[in-house]
Amino acid sequence: MNGRLQDKVALVTGSGRGIGRAIAMKLAAEGARVVINDLDSAPAEETVQAIRAAGGEAVACAGSVTAPDFAERFIGTAVERYKGLDIIVNNAGYTWDSVIQKMSDEQWYAMIDVHLTAPFRILRAAQPVVRSLVKADDAAGRRVVRKVVNISSVAGLFGNAGQTNYAAGKAGIVGMTMTLAKEWGRLNTTVNCVAFGFIKTRLTEVSADGNATANIDGRDIKIGVNPGLLAMMEQTIPLGRGGTPDEAAGAVFLFCIPESDYVSGQTLMCTGGLTGI
């Protein structure tokens, strides 16, 4: 594959399914070699095989992003397999909703851990590697711009009833993005954020009886959206519909290409025109 990301090494968490898979496929289609992650090995390997079948390169690193040893293993997979690190997309996540008076400590920490602590650990583990690569680039007389794209949500920008935990984590990743844009500028690395609105995935698909669940990290989490609520939500979106995973991936892609090499510390809303919730 030849493209604008030819031979770049990209890491995408939560890329076995949904938005993450679409991001990984998009980066690979543009020539990136991708490290795929999912909680479960089967969807991670399926994405790897899909990329390879299309002529790209990919390797799986399955497991929970919240595991204490995950960050080093994830970054290590990229270095050991592809000898580099150019793009990191912190995408993995889910929701576990409740009004605050009914929210348990477990619910709170689960959202903070997956949406904020996991990206923190991954970027902390990546920093020495990036610094070493920059030194090698300088010694060789070349300038390489690396990219970090964190994923937030309109809930993190405007709040959303029933999502104190999720909104707090997604607001925190915006602050982390702006801070690391200042710290990593000297490493020729841009750090940006994409805040999604309503994107149609397995976690937000229609659930007529409201009883659909998914096992996430050993917990049965309620997923899906009531059809009536879904219709009402889509009416509030100026474009009149929820977004697709491919459209969500396109927003992330904008921060990965050379055309955005001088854009850093920014949060882009990918919402179909929705500017608040």
Side-chain angles (χ1 to χ4, degrees):
M1 290 185 178
N2 292 311
R4 281 174 284 182
L5 303 179
Q6 190 65 36
D7 297 326
K8 299 290 186 182
V9 178
L11 300 85
V12 185
T13 62
S15 48
R17 289 170 276 211
I19 295 171
R21 177 185 169 101
I23 293 168
M25 296 294 292
K26 179 67 174 176
L27 300 183
E30 290 290 339
R33 296 168 289 174
V34 189
V35 180
I36 302 298
N37 159 259
D38 195 90
L39 267 173
D40 306 311
S41 59
E45 288 294 344
E46 287 175 7
T47 301
V48 167
Q49 293 306 317
I51 289 173
R52 290 177 179 172
E57 294 185 57
V59 63
C61 181
S64 173
V65 296
T66 64
D69 66 342
F70 176 79
E72 284 73 17
R73 188 162 61 85
F74 192 46
I75 298 300
T77 298
V79 175
E80 292 165 15
R81 184 63 175 261
Y82 297 127
K83 313 302 179 187
L85 197 166
D86 298 288
I87 298 166
I88 300 173
V89 181
N90 284 306
N91 165 78
Y94 61 102
T95 59
W96 192 3
D97 298 349
S98 183
V99 290
I100 194 166
Q101 67 270 24
K102 296 181 180 180
M103 185 174 291
S104 67
D105 283 1
E106 183 184 14
Q107 281 177 284
W108 170 263
Y109 284 114
M111 293 296 94
I112 299 302
D113 285 350
V114 72
H115 294 291
L116 196 54
T117 304
F120 159 72
R121 287 174 173 166
I122 289 168
L123 296 173
R124 180 177 63 182
Q127 199 277 349
V129 175
V130 172
R131 184 182 63 212
S132 178
L133 291 169
V134 170
K135 288 182 178 179
D137 293 337
D138 290 343
R142 59 177 177 259
R143 184 176 184 275
V144 177
V145 178
R146 293 178 171 81
K147 312 278 188 160
V148 173
V149 186
N150 295 317
I151 302 303
S152 185
S153 164
V154 289
L157 301 181
F158 306 110
N160 194 29
Q163 293 190 321
T164 300
N165 51 357
Y166 179 74
K170 288 305 192 183
I173 200 67
V174 173
M176 185 186 299
T177 296
M178 292 188 290
T179 298
L180 287 184
K182 294 178 178 180
E183 289 188 13
W184 285 24
R186 61 189 177 86
L187 299 177
N188 294 330
T189 300
T190 67
V191 186
N192 291 293
C193 189
V194 176
F196 292 133
F198 178 63
I199 306 296
K200 294 181 178 180
T201 70
R202 72 185 181 107
L203 299 181
T204 59
E205 62 190 5
V206 170
S207 175
D209 60 8
N211 294 320
T213 62
N215 189 277
I216 301 174
D217 228 0
R219 305 179 180 98
D220 288 326
I221 305 296
K222 184 179 178 180
I223 62 172
V225 180
N226 177 276
L229 179 59
L230 175 60
M232 183 178 69
M233 289 170 58
E234 292 195 305
Q235 287 177 3
T236 68
I237 300 170
L239 288 183
R241 59 177 178 82
T244 68
D246 285 341
E247 289 169 329
V252 173
F253 181 65
L254 295 176
F255 283 134
C256 296
I257 57 178
E259 286 84 347
S260 63
D261 280 358
Y262 199 64
V263 179
S264 194
Q266 302 302 306
T267 296
L268 170 68
M269 289 196 297
C270 178
T271 64
L274 187 69
T275 56
I277 55 177

